[in-house]
Amino acid sequence: LSTVCALYSTATLAADPIKIGEINPFSGPLAKYGLELSRGHELAIDEINAKGGLLGRKVEMITGDATNPQQAIATVDQLANRDKVNLFSGTYMSPVSAAASDAAQRYNLLYWETIATAQELTERGLPNFVRTGPNAASYAIEAVAAINNLIAGAYGKKPGDLKIWIEHEDLSFGTSSADTLKTLLEKEGVKPIGVSAHSFKAIDLNDTVLRIKQGNPDLLIEIGYVPDGNLLLRNLRSQGYKIPGIMYLVTGDAPETLEAVGADALEGLLVVSYPRTNLPNTFSPGGDHYLAAYRAKYKQEPAATLGMTAYAGMQMLFDAVTAANSTDPDKVRAAAAKMDKPLGSYPGGYGVKFDSNFQNTRALPVVVQWQSGVPVTVFPKEAASAGVALKNFPRR
């Protein structure tokens, strides 16, 4: 279940390394994204070791495969007992993060979450948990801002006049995101005409398409993982149903989606997503450096955008551990509570300011649009490159 992913021979570093247990799906349908997240962490580890390590010790990442909560608990037990890790990080799937962080608490080990988004992860009050990346509310807030300031105007309507359908996968990530989005929309006077759920493991979503078709929305908002998101697009295409506007939350802008449905099916589709590597340096310092390091190490283009967010989150961990001079969860969280860095301090445009639940309040997603087979950032305007604007929306 485990593999040492970062081994270094730098003689100046202490022999006793700081071991980070990496909990992610490294098998199954989501393995590609667990690996991509892990690569973001690994690149940050490469950098800290090249600079002399963390607290004078080299950093090693030890990976543990977890595709479900039960496997997450067993993997944490193994990495804590056999590999003697000093702390844990991850995680692509929110249910896995919930189970793994709870298991880590039994060993009094820090769980530094960089990706998983479900609201409940920080609302549990778990004393070893910190999240650096966006949460479900962040995506919902950005979606509503885009509806108010970008999308409604493209329809020539007021936001409250838009017919919006929310479709989501039925685990904690999709459910919490949909609930938050619905609440925020209703506060803005926008009442969704439908909210429905499906399994992210579904092999057919044609019934879902029929439900949406009956509602005849102006805008479909989909919240799920890559496999079910791609399946929904394929089923929409097979039924010949073209919705005027589609917005995906978190997923939908990966190369895998382009391969799955093609550029024509994606043209004009919006995605509230992790910041991309090609954002202006004034908004996202270091994105170009991350991309260069990724290409040099892995000899390919990134498979998804979440890797850079994981990379930035690991940099935040190193800053907190340095300030705490320890990996003890209480000391690291105390140091993290004092962190106060403005937006634009890390790649992706992230800053750091944790709330009382140790959710980073300065981790915000962006909105991209598929244009001619390429996802480009269109919102907020500070993140858009010169000359980039919303196109083909509503979709023809």
Side-chain angles (χ1 to χ4, degrees):
L1 282 175
S2 63
T3 332
V4 176
C5 294
L7 293 174
Y8 300 88
S9 58
T10 308
T12 57
L13 297 181
D16 184 21
I18 292 176
K19 296 179 181 180
I20 300 176
E22 176 84 359
I23 306 297
N24 263 310
F26 292 107
S27 62
L30 300 178
K32 177 185 293 186
Y33 302 97
L35 177 61
E36 194 68 13
L37 191 166
S38 180
R39 285 178 169 180
H41 290 171
E42 188 173 38
L43 289 172
I45 289 170
D46 287 352
E47 289 186 3
I48 197 74
N49 282 331
K51 294 176 182 177
L54 184 62
L55 307 183
R57 300 157 64 185
K58 71 177 179 180
V59 180
E60 293 180 1
M61 183 172 72
I62 303 178
T63 62
D65 185 20
T67 62
N68 58 62
Q70 294 74 26
Q71 193 177 9
I73 294 168
T75 301
V76 166
D77 288 341
Q78 186 174 55
L79 268 60
N81 290 314
R82 186 193 67 189
D83 298 289
K84 308 299 181 184
V85 299
N86 301 94
L87 61 104
F88 287 94
S89 189
T91 314
Y92 184 65
M93 299 176 68
S94 292
V96 169
S97 177
S101 53
D102 186 65
Q105 169 57 21
R106 295 200 294 272
Y107 294 97
N108 192 34
L109 293 176
L110 179 72
Y111 203 96
W112 191 270
E113 180 58 72
T114 63
I115 293 295
T117 60
Q119 290 290 113
E120 66 187 49
L121 291 175
T122 49
E123 292 171 355
R124 298 170 297 167
L126 206 62
N128 65 328
F129 193 83
V130 179
R131 176 163 50 196
T132 58
N135 63 358
S138 303
Y139 287 93
I141 289 168
E142 198 72 3
V144 172
I147 289 168
N148 286 336
N149 298 296
L150 185 71
I151 294 171
Y155 282 89
K157 295 183 177 183
K158 295 179 180 179
D161 295 330
L162 289 173
K163 294 192 298 179
I164 296 176
W165 186 287
I166 301 172
E167 179 66 31
H168 66 93
E169 63 88 19
D170 59 6
L171 296 178
S172 58
F173 154 58
T175 302
S176 66
S177 298
D179 289 346
T180 303
L181 177 61
K182 181 175 181 290
T183 298
L184 291 176
L185 284 171
E186 290 175 344
K187 284 183 178 178
E188 295 290 323
V190 183
K191 185 173 177 58
I193 61 170
V195 179
S196 61
H198 61 266
S199 169
F200 88 93
K201 296 180 180 179
I203 58 173
D204 188 320
L205 290 175
N206 278 298
D207 286 347
T208 297
V209 172
L210 290 174
R211 287 199 306 270
I212 297 168
K213 206 179 218 181
Q214 289 173 353
N216 192 30
D218 297 313
L219 178 67
L220 166 66
I221 301 179
E222 149 71 11
I223 308 167
Y225 293 102
V226 176
D228 58 298
N230 290 351
L231 178 61
L232 180 59
L233 289 173
R234 288 197 299 269
N235 287 169
L236 285 167
R237 183 180 60 186
S238 67
Q239 292 197 30
Y241 179 36
K242 193 162 189 177
I243 302 172
I246 299 178
M247 173 188 282
Y248 271 41
L249 265 60
V250 187
T251 62
D253 58 342
E256 182 180 344
T257 299
L258 178 61
E259 295 168 6
V261 301
D264 289 345
L266 289 175
E267 186 66 22
L269 184 142
L270 299 171
V271 185
V272 185
S273 181
Y274 298 105
R276 309 184 71 78
T277 57
N278 61 354
L279 298 182
N281 272 325
T282 52
F283 181 87
S284 170
D288 51 354
H289 172 76
Y290 170 80
L291 181 59
Y294 188 102
R295 288 169 170 168
K297 187 174 182 71
Y298 305 114
K299 312 302 180 187
Q300 65 179 71
E301 296 298 305
T305 55
L306 78 167
M308 188 171 71
T309 293
Y311 169 79
M314 191 58 63
Q315 290 181 334
M316 296 174 202
L317 169 64
F318 297 155
D319 288 344
V321 169
T322 298
N325 195 34
S326 174
T327 60
D328 177 84
D330 292 338
K331 293 179 180 178
V332 174
R333 294 213 328 163
K338 297 177 182 177
M339 295 176 73
D340 188 353
K341 295 191 176 185
L343 292 169
S345 297
Y346 295 91
Y350 297 127
V352 178
K353 183 67 175 178
F354 292 103
D355 65 16
S356 59
N357 289 326
F358 286 90
Q359 165 62 43
N360 184 10
T361 61
R362 294 176 183 163
L364 302 175
V366 298
V367 180
V368 303
Q369 185 186 39
W370 282 97
Q371 298 181 2
S372 301
V374 178
V376 298
T377 304
V378 294
F379 186 85
K381 63 181 181 179
E382 297 83 5
S385 298
V388 172
L390 191 69
K391 294 182 179 178
N392 189 27
F393 199 91
R395 303 163 77 218
R396 293 186 297 276

